[in-house]
Amino acid sequence: MVQPQTVPEKYVQPTVTATVIDRLNTISQEILSRTKLEKVIQEFNLYPDLRQKVPMEEVVEKMTKAIEVNVAKGIQGGRSDRAQNAFSISYEGEEPRTVMMVTNKLAFLFIEENLKVRELQAESTSNFIIKELAAIEDQLVKKEEDLRISGNGTWANFPNNWMPI
């Protein structure tokens, strides 16, 4: 399941703005790359006979055709403006136990890649906020200095601080 942001958007804008489908497509490209699938093929000794007869890229192509990633259909919570947050991964193979382990591995890779992307986006957001805070702090220090220099820096000179006697 792809977890949506839980903090209300009026307080904090989401760090992940792409739809679930867009994010899954991006992550799928990484996970279903030749490099990643070759590692999975070797880890689980998939297609041993085929690997003896054809180049590895054909074996990877066969595995790619055996993998399916789908976003769950429907509308979350009855709100049409929210994308569904669940997806499924399936792998078709010969031996049920191996199919289960490969599917679990693929799910783990998707989760791991999603976390990397979210971590990078959160780090980028954090860096932006730190820079903005420093800039505002510099502006505040300058304003305080300007008030001090102009002689209007005492609170008694501000109309908002007048108190009836």
Side-chain angles (χ1 to χ4, degrees), residues 1-121:
M1 182 130 143
V2 179
Q3 292 292 331
Q5 176 173 309
T6 56
V7 178
E9 288 185 22
K10 68 180 183 179
Y11 299 123
V12 178
Q13 290 298 314
T15 57
V16 178
T17 56
T19 66
V20 173
I21 294 170
D22 292 339
R23 287 176 43 211
L24 278 176
N25 286 337
T26 301
I27 293 170
S28 290
Q29 289 175 1
E30 176 65 28
I31 302 307
L32 301 178
S33 69
R34 178 180 172 167
T35 308
K36 294 271 188 189
L37 290 183
E38 272 187 41
K39 289 179 184 176
V40 174
I41 289 167
Q42 291 169 353
E43 181 179 342
F44 294 100
N45 194 29
L46 302 174
Y47 313 107
D49 295 335
L50 188 60
R51 287 188 354 220
Q52 299 296 321
K53 298 174 187 171
V54 298
M56 183 56 103
E57 66 184 42
E58 288 184 36
V59 179
V60 169
E61 187 177 321
K62 180 175 174 101
M63 183 174 187
T64 302
K65 290 177 182 175
I67 297 170
E68 193 171 314
V69 179
N70 293 311
V71 174
K73 294 185 177 24
I75 299 172
Q76 175 186 349
R79 291 187 56 186
S80 60
D81 63 334
R82 291 283 190 181
Q84 184 69 18
N85 293 313
F87 66 97
S88 65
I89 301 169
S90 62
Y91 169 71
E92 203 174 293
E94 302 279 325
E95 186 185 315
R97 181 168 170 71
T98 303
V99 169
M100 177 196 67
M101 292 187 324
V102 169
T103 305
N104 284 340
K105 177 68 173 190
L106 293 170
F108 172 78
L109 292 172
F110 270 83
I111 291 166
E112 184 178 57
E113 188 65 27
N114 185 48
L115 288 174
K116 283 181 193 174
V117 168
R118 291 182 73 131
E119 184 179 323
L120 287 173
Q121 289 173 328

